[in-house]
Amino acid sequence: NPILRHFWADLYVVANRSSIALSFLDVLEGTEEEKNRLRGEAFFLRSLAHFELVRYFALPYIKGEENTQAGVPLRIDPVLEIESPTVGRASVEATYTRIIDDLLAAIDVLPSVDQNDGKPTVWAARALLAKVYFQQNNFEGAFTQANEVIQNGGYQLNETVTDIFDPEQNFSQESIWEIPSI
């Protein structure tokens, strides 16, 4: 299926580029704040890629079970040269554990102020973590993260439901994270 093949490949490009960025942070010039922002963005994007992959290409997470069923290959170590895939599929449990660990690491270093530049903030990471917990049927964790975004993120609903689809309007007041379309 050419559509799914590209979906799979594109998400692994995101995961790999995030891992590459993380591996080169020590040699980059810049302030610690700039490096932390990049670190948080890389953790956020890698977790997002793995989350979408596990939702589409693995069996679901089953609360209360060991979740040893095959998940997806975790692209944690950067690949700098074209090579044959050598990473096997991690279990669903290991996949979700990595996603959550990456999101918690992102939450620790991402800024809370949205610059309306398409870059994730702590609120985007918390919102994604809520979605991950919800997918795991961890409703208490999902509520805690979602409530934190609702109470402290400064977001509010648009005047009408169609405002979010206005092509002239990027970064609406209810958008927690969006990539601007130009």
Side-chain angles (χ1 to χ4, degrees), residues 33-34 37 41 109-124 153-155 170-172 175-180:
E33 182 180 334
E34 292 167 331
R37 173 94 192 225
E41 290 170 7
V109 293
L110 282 173
S112 60
V113 177
D114 193 346
Q115 300 295 323
N116 289 334
D117 56 4
K119 295 181 179 181
T121 63
V122 67
W123 307 115
Y155 302 99
N170 282 320
F171 308 111
S172 79
S175 176
I176 297 169
W177 180 61
E178 79 181 70
I179 300 171

Side-chain angles (χ1 to χ4, degrees), residues 4 14 16 39 44 51 54 65 68-69 91 104 106 122-123 138 143 154 157 159-160 167 169:
L4 287 179
V14 170
N16 188 51
R39 180 178 289 111
F44 175 83
F51 181 55
V54 76
E65 299 291 324
T68 57
Q69 64 273 34
S91 69
L104 292 173
V122 67
W123 307 115
N138 176 354
F143 173 81
L157 296 177
E159 292 292 322
T160 70
Q169 178 184 344

Side-chain angles (χ1 to χ4, degrees), residues 57-77:
F57 298 105
L59 292 171
Y61 187 95
I62 302 168
K63 186 175 183 173
E65 299 291 324
E66 291 185 27
N67 291 293
T68 57
Q69 64 273 34
V72 296
L74 293 172
R75 186 53 81 186
I76 305 307
D77 296 322

Side-chain angles (χ1 to χ4, degrees), residues 36 40 102-111 122 125:
N36 278 338
D102 280 357
L103 284 170
L104 292 173
I107 287 168
D108 283 344
V109 293
L110 282 173
V122 67

